[in-house]
Amino acid sequence: MDQSMYPWAAPGAFPPYHQGRGEQLVSVAERQMGPVAARVLRERLGSLRAGRDQDGRQFFTVGEGQDPHATIWLDAIPLEAGRIADTATNTTSQNYVVRISDRLPESMLERVLARELGELTAVRERAAEGLAPVREDLLRHSAELPADLELSAADMGRIAELDWLAAQHSNPDLPREQQEFARTEFSALLDLYGLRPTATRQDQATYLSQRKAADLRLRLTNPSASPVSKRLLRDLARPIEQLSPADATALHASREAAMRAQRQVEAFLGRREVTMPLPGYDQNGLPLPRDALGADAEQQWAAWRNQVHERTEHTLREQLAAGTTPRRKVAIGGGASLSGRDPEALLIDAVGRWHLDPGKGIVQSADQDRDLAYWMGVDPYAAVTDPRDRVPIEAVRVWEDQLATQGDVVNGHARLGLGRGGELLAEINSVTGGGPLRVACDGTPSVATGLPPELVPGAVRGRNGVESRAEAVRLLGDRLRELDGEGVAGAAQLRDVLTGAERGGVDTEAVLGALEASPLKDLLRTGPDGGPAVRLENCFTTLEATRKWEAARTEAPGRTMMGDEVAENRFDANDADHWIIAGSGGTGAANAEIILRKNPRARVTLIGRNEPPAALRHQVQFGAMEELYGREKGDGRLEFGRADVGEVETVRGEDGRTCFLMTYATVGEDGAMVTKTVEADGYVACLGRTNPLPAAVQVLADEVRDRSGRVSGSLLFDRDDQYLGYRLGFAVDGTEHHVDVDGAASWQLPREVFPPEEGLQGELNVMGARALPPETGNAAPGFAPIARQSALRARAVAQERDGDAGAVRQLPSVPDRWKRQEHARPAPAPAEVTAPAVEVPAPERTPPGRGAPNAHLWTLGAPPLRGRLPRAAPGPERAPQPPPPEAGPRGPGVGYGD
């Protein structure tokens, strides 16, 4: 697209932020949504209700004729440079999340809402008919027309924007200056949308081709435009030579401003050349069809990846054999973080998670993850027959292998450590064996190894919790170091025993045995007063729970599983016919589906402290699983229960096999809650994640601490307050190395570096939920959100590498812009809406029904961020802010890129 038509909205040009402005924008939008919906939906609008849920989040329930109601959630949050708004749309459960930039001037808010509402309405209507979206936009500044002469959802948003401007121009209640400003804006957009020729008559060939394309676009646009838009199109959709003097002068000024803005955008974001096919696209840049994203294509790309792996490994071994330690940029881990893949970096990835997952696909639909086209350069719609279908796992694997093989790759695992001279080394263990490979790290390595290990049943959670055996040993070791400093005999020796046991991988029985045999056991249990004493006592609780878990795994091998073992297909579903899944979150639900699909005899009892979280109700996978296997609608093999899950409890079954017991509450036949005790022969623990250091840096951290060094951490944000991950610092012997943690792993802050009592993990969780509320059917560590995060990180790192010191910021906490105002604010009276009549009752205070979304973006900045991101020269801190339309001369205003 040509983003030059919106000069003041170019990167760096937003007004400075002040605290609380996001809530102010939402309050204004609460009043404006009624008139906007009336203009955009016109006769289709049946009703509109405004309200806030118990957390104060703004929503609107929209009724369109006889269609089911749709719920639109609205928030104003930090968005990346040049982005004015994005919309997550849920065509399965009819929930839509509109996020506007908290830097947006209030004067442009209605216009933004009009465009977003027009776009999401178009998506909703096509999905209702099971139609994939129109891939190519028709309204664009080009003489070339798409093959399918249809208006895309983005085009319908553009038409809604034009309708709004036309209504402003014809509104007699507005000052004449505002009317004229709207006319100028309307006219400027006709260039951008290809609705008038921009070439001069002297360039006859170009002029005629543009005129022909513009005429066709006008014919296709007119049926969807409002009457006032049609009148304005008749006046303004013509060459500049045929406009009135006033309109021609205004358009000339708009074009000049647009050219200046385009140069600013290019300076800020830089350019890049694509010399290889993008993931999910062929050599001609066209989306791959479904048969090129299925099982056959998956095998072909896996074979190609193996070839690149073998070539890379052979080259590295040759260099090592010649006595040279290769020096390379290093990236450890893959998955969705490959959206930020640097082709110059050596990628070490074990081909895990999505390559192993035995499920049908990711749990979101193509509609929900449609922004992958922007961030990862892949087309999720090419992989499905219906836009509401889940994105299949084969397509995900093809995309990841295409991205991985854009540079050197080793299929394997890596651990970072210190060399003899204190340099940072990566030790690589290939999946094909052959001994470790060692590579010297050039620059800051990145680690994106996915979510950390899961909790053992009975481990203590919370701020004073102890989540794992490793954390228990670390905390006990820290206390023993204090006791040793106080002169307590045997403290240092016991600490060495515990540390050695943990690093040596012995079972928890041995760790507890060492503690039980020590005369310091009771002293350790008391500890210092307050929170530390509680945590030390919790160390023993977690160690005992881990001992019981390990014993159960020994007694029932293959039937006592962690959730990741199921998700990565490291189990046999036929080893048990009745499975308890402990944990009602996303992992538990996904694993229930896997077991029920793989074993047609299996029954699953899914038990958690609470009902399945709201986000699951907004996903495609969960609802489909209930339909197939639930007690009410399906075959009855899936039951839900509620209980506080503690340590694993085992008994001997009638056949002598170890079985598992759990008591839980569930809904009985009469609808009342009843208590049941289940005895099952399989158990899967899906109780949440621990927060350790990523395994790839654990050896490095141990080495640094053993040499009296220091491990530190800080959060990483770009200049637009977009979260990029966290950075670890390893300071030892006068040198400090850094490692950046990206991807899903970056959303679980290691407690040994970011102490839980500081509350930083809670701040990060709140920020993630605000950016991706449950109605999106997604979460911050999800596939599409991580693709976005890693793409933004790659761009910021490239800018930093090119000398832009502010591109990547290290912060001690989440920026204030992400924090909601603490004080409660009563919802203002909703705006009255007329023509057509719209019902706008008093604001509700309870959330509407459940649902799930998809995401689409309007951007003003760069071309799609696919594969490797552009390196950018530093941009200006802030471009001059033009006067608002109420007070300034005519000129171009806000728009939305494509």
Side-chain angles (χ1 to χ4, degrees):
M1 58 137 306
D2 181 2
Q3 60 265 15
S4 63
M5 302 305 286
Y6 313 112
W8 70 265
F14 281 114
Y17 174 82
H18 59 84
Q19 184 67 17
R21 190 168 181 280
E23 180 59 40
Q24 178 182 335
L25 281 171
V26 172
S27 297
V28 175
E30 187 174 2
R31 298 191 298 270
Q32 293 180 344
M33 182 61 86
V36 168
R39 289 194 190 103
V40 173
L41 298 175
R42 301 196 291 274
E43 68 279 356
R44 291 173 296 176
L45 181 59
S47 63
L48 175 70
R49 289 178 176 271
R52 292 189 178 236
D53 72 357
Q54 64 267 31
D55 296 323
R57 297 189 303 143
Q58 180 68 56
F59 67 84
F60 305 89
T61 304
V62 182
E64 295 181 54
Q66 299 302 314
D67 290 345
H69 286 345
T71 301
I72 300 173
W73 299 81
L74 185 103
D75 201 359
I77 62 174
L79 297 178
E80 64 270 16
R83 190 173 306 284
I84 288 176
D86 68 44
T87 297
T89 61
N90 177 356
T91 53
T92 300
S93 63
Q94 299 303 320
N95 274 251
Y96 302 80
V97 181
V98 176
R99 295 161 293 203
I100 55 178
S101 170
D102 61 0
R103 294 186 185 274
L104 184 71
E106 287 181 21
S107 60
M108 308 313 299
L109 182 57
E110 267 192 80
R111 180 173 172 179
V112 170
L113 293 175
R115 177 151 177 174
E116 295 299 308
L117 185 56
E119 186 271 339
L120 69 86
T121 300
V123 173
R124 184 175 181 232
E125 289 174 349
R126 288 192 68 89
E129 300 179 35
L131 299 175
V134 177
R135 279 198 179 102
E136 295 185 78
D137 296 336
L138 179 70
L139 302 184
R140 58 186 182 181
H141 180 54
S142 171
E144 184 179 348
L145 294 167
D148 297 325
L149 295 178
E150 291 187 79
L151 293 168
S152 68
D155 290 333
M156 296 303 294
R158 297 179 183 108
I159 293 172
E161 177 187 16
L162 292 173
D163 287 350
W164 184 86
L165 288 168
Q168 293 287 102
H169 172 257
S170 63
N171 186 348
D173 295 330
L174 293 179
R176 181 168 181 79
E177 189 175 54
Q178 281 186 254
Q179 294 177 2
E180 290 303 312
F181 182 86
R183 183 183 183 96
T184 298
E185 292 287 277
F186 188 104
S187 180
L189 289 179
L190 301 185
D191 279 2
L192 184 61
Y193 299 161
L195 291 169
R196 73 153 67 92
T198 56
T200 62
R201 288 181 179 274
Q202 285 74 19
D203 186 359
Q204 188 72 2
T206 304
Y207 173 82
L208 290 174
S209 64
Q210 289 184 356
R211 182 61 183 264
K212 181 180 178 180
D215 288 345
L216 180 56
R217 290 188 177 103
L218 282 168
R219 288 200 300 272
L220 294 170
T221 298
N222 261 299
S224 300
S226 68
V228 291
S229 278
K230 292 175 184 177
R231 290 196 294 270
L232 212 48
L233 283 169
R234 285 195 294 270
D235 288 346
L236 298 174
R238 56 182 65 190
I240 192 170
E241 298 88 352
Q242 298 177 18
L243 296 176
S244 69
D247 287 332
T249 299
L251 179 58
H252 180 72
S254 295
R255 287 177 175 177
E256 286 191 340
M259 291 179 64
R260 291 193 299 271
Q262 179 65 28
R263 287 193 292 270
Q264 178 185 338
V265 169
E266 290 173 0
F268 188 89
L269 294 170
R271 290 185 175 274
R272 78 191 244 273
E273 294 182 2
V274 178
T275 58
M276 61 183 70
L278 295 170
Y281 293 78
D282 64 17
Q283 295 285 351
N284 299 315
L286 298 175
L288 295 174
R290 277 191 297 279
D291 57 5
L293 292 170
D296 290 343
E298 174 194 349
Q299 294 175 8
Q300 293 168 7
W301 275 101
W304 170 241
R305 176 171 178 153
N306 283 332
Q307 291 180 42
V308 177
H309 153 79
E310 291 169 359
R311 181 187 67 204
T312 303
E313 183 177 355
H314 178 74
T315 300
L316 294 175
R317 291 197 183 281
E318 279 190 333
Q319 292 174 316
L320 289 167
T324 301
T325 300
R327 186 172 184 82
R328 298 292 304 270
K329 296 178 184 177
V330 170
I332 304 171
S337 66
L338 290 171
S339 63
R341 165 81 156 110
D342 182 351
E344 296 177 6
L346 171 63
L347 173 68
I348 305 107
D349 178 31
V351 201
R353 187 57 187 103
W354 297 112
H355 283 80
L356 302 175
D357 195 310
K360 294 177 62 177
I362 58 180
V363 297
Q364 290 82 26
S365 68
D367 266 345
Q368 288 173 280
D369 281 345
R370 59 183 175 154
D371 58 335
L372 283 171
Y374 184 82
W375 299 111
M376 189 176 252
V378 300
D379 182 7
Y381 294 109
V384 298
T385 56
D386 187 302
R388 295 163 293 186
D389 290 345
R390 292 166 64 180
V391 177
I393 200 71
E394 295 85 2
V396 174
R397 292 168 183 162
V398 168
W399 296 335
E400 289 190 5
D401 286 345
Q402 286 183 307
L403 284 165
T405 53
Q406 287 187 351
D408 289 343
V409 60
V410 173
N411 296 334
H413 300 272
R415 297 289 184 270
L416 298 175
L418 298 174
R420 292 181 179 178
E423 69 276 20
L424 189 59
L425 299 178
E427 182 176 282
I428 305 167
N429 289 291
S430 167
V431 295
T432 54
L437 299 161
R438 288 181 177 82
V439 173
C441 297
D442 182 9
T444 300
S446 65
V447 173
T449 46
L451 290 168
E454 293 170 293
L455 285 161
V456 164
V460 185
R461 306 207 68 175
R463 183 164 293 190
N464 288 320
V466 179
E467 298 180 340
S468 65
R469 188 180 84 170
E471 185 174 15
V473 170
R474 177 176 60 82
L475 292 172
L476 291 170
D478 290 345
R479 177 59 179 150
L480 287 166
R481 183 185 288 111
E482 294 173 0
L483 293 175
D484 182 48
E486 296 168 6
V488 175
Q493 291 83 351
L494 180 57
R495 180 176 181 274
D496 290 343
V497 169
L498 294 179
T499 302
E502 178 60 25
R503 295 182 186 178
V506 302
D507 59 25
T508 307
E509 184 78 47
V511 174
L512 280 169
L515 287 169
E516 289 293 332
S518 172
L520 301 179
K521 179 186 67 173
D522 293 336
L523 187 58
L524 278 174
R525 282 185 180 275
T526 56
D529 293 335
V534 174
R535 291 196 77 192
L536 287 168
E537 180 61 34
N538 287 339
C539 288
F540 289 88
T541 302
T542 294
L543 287 172
E544 179 59 28
T546 306
R547 183 194 66 78
K548 289 185 177 179
W549 177 252
E550 291 175 358
R553 286 176 67 87
T554 300
E555 295 172 13
R559 296 185 288 116
T560 315
M561 316 292 296
M562 301 301 290
D564 286 342
E565 293 176 276
V566 175
E568 296 176 0
N569 208 22
R570 292 183 279 131
F571 85 120
D572 186 344
N574 294 294
D575 282 349
D577 286 341
H578 189 177
W579 294 82
I580 292 171
I581 293 185
S584 55
T587 302
N591 289 345
E593 181 192 48
I594 290 170
I595 290 171
L596 292 166
R597 286 181 62 234
K598 292 175 73 71
N599 181 353
R601 304 180 310 278
R603 291 179 296 135
V604 170
T605 305
L606 185 67
I607 302 172
R609 176 179 298 176
N610 303 305
E611 292 183 356
L616 293 187
R617 302 288 181 181
H618 295 283
Q619 293 174 350
V620 181
Q621 179 263 348
F622 189 80
M625 182 178 70
E626 282 190 305
E627 290 278 343
L628 284 173
Y629 309 115
R631 190 172 62 186
E632 293 183 5
K633 301 178 181 179
D635 60 16
R637 293 194 290 140
L638 175 64
E639 183 180 29
F640 297 94
R642 296 177 62 179
D644 286 328
V645 179
E647 297 174 350
V648 64
E649 184 178 351
T650 60
V651 295
R652 290 288 178 184
E654 294 181 358
D655 57 0
R657 293 209 313 171
T658 295
C659 292
F660 305 91
L661 282 182
M662 190 177 294
T663 300
Y664 62 98
T666 189
V667 179
E669 297 293 337
D670 58 357
M673 296 299 292
V674 298
T675 300
K676 292 185 178 181
T677 298
V678 62
E679 180 178 316
D681 48 352
Y683 188 108
V684 183
C686 307
L687 295 168
R689 301 283 170 176
T690 60
N691 292 52
L693 282 165
V697 299
Q698 188 63 63
V699 170
L700 173 62
D702 290 342
E703 289 180 316
V704 167
R705 290 189 176 117
D706 288 346
R707 291 159 64 170
S708 300
R710 180 176 59 88
V711 181
S712 60
S714 57
L715 303 184
L716 297 180
F717 290 84
D718 66 12
R719 58 166 41 88
D720 301 307
D721 291 328
Q722 302 302 299
Y723 183 58
L724 307 177
Y726 64 84
R727 178 167 292 173
L728 295 170
F730 300 89
V732 63
D733 299 335
T735 301
E736 185 167 13
H737 298 291
H738 295 106
V739 177
D740 285 356
V741 179
D742 184 20
S746 68
W747 288 89
Q748 300 285 140
L749 301 179
R751 290 156 68 96
E752 60 190 277
V753 179
F754 301 93
E757 58 268 20
E758 294 180 0
L760 196 54
Q761 182 67 61
E763 288 184 18
L764 197 64
N765 293 343
V766 169
M767 181 187 71
R770 188 171 183 190
L772 287 158
E775 292 77 20
T776 65
N778 232 315
F783 189 84
I786 289 302
R788 174 187 179 276
Q789 174 183 313
S790 298
L792 286 173
R793 177 188 172 276
R795 184 170 72 189
V797 167
Q799 292 170 339
E800 181 183 52
R801 190 166 55 238
D802 287 348
D804 184 354
V808 178
R809 299 184 300 144
Q810 299 185 60
L811 301 180
S813 63
V814 170
D816 287 342
R817 290 174 65 193
W818 282 106
K819 299 172 184 176
R820 294 190 186 275
Q821 289 179 285
E822 295 296 329
H823 64 277
R825 185 194 63 81
E832 295 183 3
V833 184
T834 58
V838 179
E839 175 191 0
V840 187
E844 300 176 12
R845 303 300 298 181
T846 55
R850 295 167 173 170
N854 26 16
H856 190 57
L857 312 168
W858 298 120
T859 179
L860 296 169
L865 303 178
R866 296 167 175 161
R868 190 182 181 190
L869 282 101
R871 296 188 181 185
E877 283 298 311
R878 180 186 171 204
Q881 175 73 11
E886 293 86 348
R890 291 182 301 182
V894 71
Y896 328 72
D898 308 306

